[in-house]
Amino acid sequence: GIQVEQSPPDLILQEGANSTLRCNFSDSVNNLQWFHQNPWGQLINLFYIPSGTKQNGRLSATTVATERYSLLYISSSQTTDSGVYFCAVETGGFKTIFGAGTRLFVKA
Amino acid sequence: DGGITQSPKYLFRKEGQNVTLSCEQNLNHDAMYWYRQDPGQGLRLIYYSQIVNDFQKGDIAEGYSVSREKKESFPLTVTSAQKNPTAFYLCATSRQVNQPQHFGDGTRLSIL
């Protein structure tokens, strides 16, 4: 089956720093989503981005489907950005596969 | 997310018991999903439903069952055949498959 790999697995930032999270996938996909899971376990959909670039405030995402990767950019990080960032891809059979996540901690 | 209600938040099960987790939505979404998350890991798909009266197995369906008799409801039963049921269970919905998914707050299931 399709493999979804996220890097780095862990990331520690000083408040105000910028970062780039990466998601590689091993086969063609119908769509790609980025999620943030806060320390209480709640999952928020950040981007639905099968291709191209989107921006939402301090966050932006780019997916290059032909090269099978997506990037999530966080600028001017804040302590509330801490948590786990997941990328998830949907295959041709409508199954959703999640990566293992990037655990981010932003220090004040 | 608002509009997706999972209950209960915490659930304890004795060995050999079946338990049912509730997921209700008022978003008028056609598609609903159940995921399992183990500590420090990503989510794994248990079952999904594209439309009422239809559902499909995900990657880890063994030991679980679902029903989709109403658009608003997609209950998950963890049967006694599931040998390691302790996990965080998350329900999600989307307008249709291949559309953005939105999650409930989850149910934490533990074995007594």
Side-chain angles (χ1 to χ4, degrees), chain A residues 24-102:
Chain A
N24 292 333
F25 43 98
S26 61
D27 204 347
S28 299
V29 298
N30 287 344
N31 69 63
L32 185 143
Q33 302 178 75
W34 283 98
F35 295 91
H36 174 230
Q37 187 170 39
N38 67 23
W40 298 272
Q42 295 171 319
L43 271 157
I44 301 298
N45 192 309
L46 300 175
F47 293 102
Y48 174 88
I49 184 165
S51 64
T53 297
K54 291 186 177 180
Q55 181 153 6
N56 184 2
R58 296 181 296 103
L59 302 181
S60 64
T62 295
T63 297
V64 184
T66 53
E67 297 187 22
R68 299 179 185 167
Y69 74 89
S70 183
L71 303 174
L72 178 68
Y73 305 96
I74 305 174
S75 65
S76 304
S77 59
Q78 301 176 357
T79 57
T80 52
D81 294 333
S82 296
V84 184
Y85 290 81
F86 291 105
C87 100
V89 301
E90 189 165 304
T91 67
F94 303 120
K95 288 186 178 180
T96 305
I97 309 296
F98 277 72
T102 291

Side-chain angles (χ1 to χ4, degrees), chain A residues 31 33 37 48 90 93 103, chain B residues 35 37 40 48 59 98 100-101:
Chain A
N31 69 63
Q33 302 178 75
Q37 187 170 39
Y48 174 88
E90 189 165 304
R103 286 151 190 79
Chain B
Y35 295 91
Q37 187 178 29
Y48 66 100
D59 294 323
N98 204 21
Q101 294 182 27

Side-chain angles (χ1 to χ4, degrees), chain B residues 5-22:
Chain B
T5 302
Q6 289 190 245
S7 60
K9 288 192 181 304
Y10 300 93
L11 187 57
F12 299 92
R13 191 190 95 169
K14 293 182 180 179
E15 297 262 2
Q17 278 186 339
N18 294 351
V19 289
T20 298
L21 283 59
S22 171

